[in-house]
Amino acid sequence: MTIKRKRSPALNYNWEDSAEAAEPLPLSIEDLKILSEMRTRRVTIPIVLLDSLLPGQEILFSSSDPNFEEMIKYVLDSDSDEIGIIGFHPTTGEPLNRGVTAVVDKEKLTYGIASNSKRLIATSFKGVRCFEVVGKTWMDDTKSFYFSDVEIFDNRKELLSAELEEQVKELHDKIPRQIEKWIEWMMKTEQISPERLNRARTKLPDSPRERAIWVGSLMNPTGNAAPVCPEIRPAMLACRNDHDRLVLASAALQSSIDHLSGRQTFE
């Protein structure tokens, strides 16, 4: 007996006609922006273990390590001029999984000879975009430096409840008063340099995220200025949203005020 098999309706489907009949999804400008950010959010970059930096902070660095020079050569020859800079956990000493990108600027590279007669490269790195390490790092083909997949989270959508949104507004408005009180006590105790004082009196950023990061940079600057809150940089990078960032910034200011004033309470 011969069994006649029926052809599946799916096999008779005209996919070409379907494609022509398909209509594009109506995407708003905001939708297109989100899709673009998602495509560029995850990147692969060389990783350097230095120190925790915040966006906008700049650090001077020099090395006679040939591995560092190999990394610089790679970046200058590649399509991207970004590297990732991460610091260490304040208590465990382990490398953190969050950091900032920095641009390798050919114009800022200085070559010389170190005290050990080895070739020296000096430059400066300025924090640009915040990222989180995704997965494990691996060595490049020359075994000179590490690569990692990272996810840029600067513009990642942060969902907050109405209650937390209200707290964000309150903290955003509270911080300028705390800064004024902090400046007052730093001057009374003669612990603030003219340069740092000028920075503290500049106009605060309007966005909650940038305002919190600005405070973090003020509390723990790069260079020779003494930090009054040495752990705020890695803590700020670990924050998941604007609420957490502003809570940290406000708490750091208050803690410094209390210490400088002998535990007087800020009103």
Side-chain angles (χ1 to χ4, degrees), residues 129-149:
R129 304 192 291 172
C130 296
F131 69 80
E132 184 171 13
V133 174
V134 180
K136 295 183 178 180
T137 59
W138 67 93
M139 295 289 287
D140 80 303
D141 293 339
T142 66
K143 306 297 181 184
S144 299
F145 56 92
Y146 286 96
F147 279 110
S148 181
D149 292 327

Side-chain angles (χ1 to χ4, degrees), residues 34 36-43 45 47 52-55 82 84-86 96-101 128-134 149-159 209-210 212-213 232-245 248:
I34 292 173
S36 176
E37 289 174 356
M38 290 177 66
R39 285 194 296 269
T40 59
R41 187 178 292 168
R42 185 167 293 197
V43 294
I45 53 177
I47 296 294
S52 291
L53 288 180
L54 296 175
E82 276 189 316
I85 296 178
I86 60 177
L96 298 168
N97 70 335
R98 287 194 168 202
V100 292
T101 65
V128 182
R129 304 192 291 172
C130 296
F131 69 80
E132 184 171 13
V133 174
V134 180
D149 292 327
V150 303
E151 182 176 340
I152 308 296
F153 62 85
D154 281 354
N155 298 318
R156 191 161 57 190
K157 188 69 174 177
E158 299 174 354
L159 298 177
R209 177 183 179 276
E210 291 180 4
I213 289 174
I232 194 171
R233 286 193 222 157
M236 187 65 70
L237 291 173
C239 291
R240 295 286 174 177
N241 52 54
D242 285 343
H243 174 266
D244 293 351
R245 294 183 193 101
L248 174 62

Side-chain angles (χ1 to χ4, degrees), residues 20-72:
E20 291 176 355
E23 295 182 2
L25 291 173
L27 298 176
S28 66
I29 294 177
E30 185 63 26
D31 292 332
L32 293 172
K33 182 180 178 182
I34 292 173
L35 287 173
S36 176
E37 289 174 356
M38 290 177 66
R39 285 194 296 269
T40 59
R41 187 178 292 168
R42 185 167 293 197
V43 294
T44 302
I45 53 177
I47 296 294
V48 180
L49 296 173
L50 284 179
D51 193 6
S52 291
L53 288 180
L54 296 175
Q57 289 191 309
E58 191 166 7
I59 188 172
L60 300 176
F61 180 74
S62 62
S63 175
S64 59
D65 188 340
N67 293 333
F68 178 69
E69 184 169 2
E70 283 295 326
M71 187 202 71
I72 294 296

Side-chain angles (χ1 to χ4, degrees), residues 130-195:
C130 296
F131 69 80
E132 184 171 13
V133 174
V134 180
K136 295 183 178 180
T137 59
W138 67 93
M139 295 289 287
D140 80 303
D141 293 339
T142 66
K143 306 297 181 184
S144 299
F145 56 92
Y146 286 96
F147 279 110
S148 181
D149 292 327
V150 303
E151 182 176 340
I152 308 296
F153 62 85
D154 281 354
N155 298 318
R156 191 161 57 190
K157 188 69 174 177
E158 299 174 354
L159 298 177
L160 296 176
S161 65
E163 180 182 358
L164 290 183
E165 288 281 10
E166 186 60 33
Q167 291 179 20
V168 165
K169 292 178 182 178
E170 292 174 0
L171 289 165
H172 182 274
D173 294 339
K174 178 182 179 181
I175 281 176
R177 302 194 304 273
Q178 288 182 297
I179 290 174
E180 286 300 319
K181 183 63 70 173
W182 180 81
I183 291 173
E184 177 186 332
W185 280 105
M186 286 289 283
M187 292 179 68
K188 283 182 178 179
T189 55
E190 299 181 350
Q191 296 189 46
I192 192 166
S193 65
E195 180 183 0

Side-chain angles (χ1 to χ4, degrees), residues 112-128:
I113 302 297
S115 57
N116 57 6
S117 299
K118 290 185 178 180
R119 181 178 168 90
L120 178 77
I121 299 180
T123 188
S124 63
F125 295 123
K126 187 175 184 179
V128 182

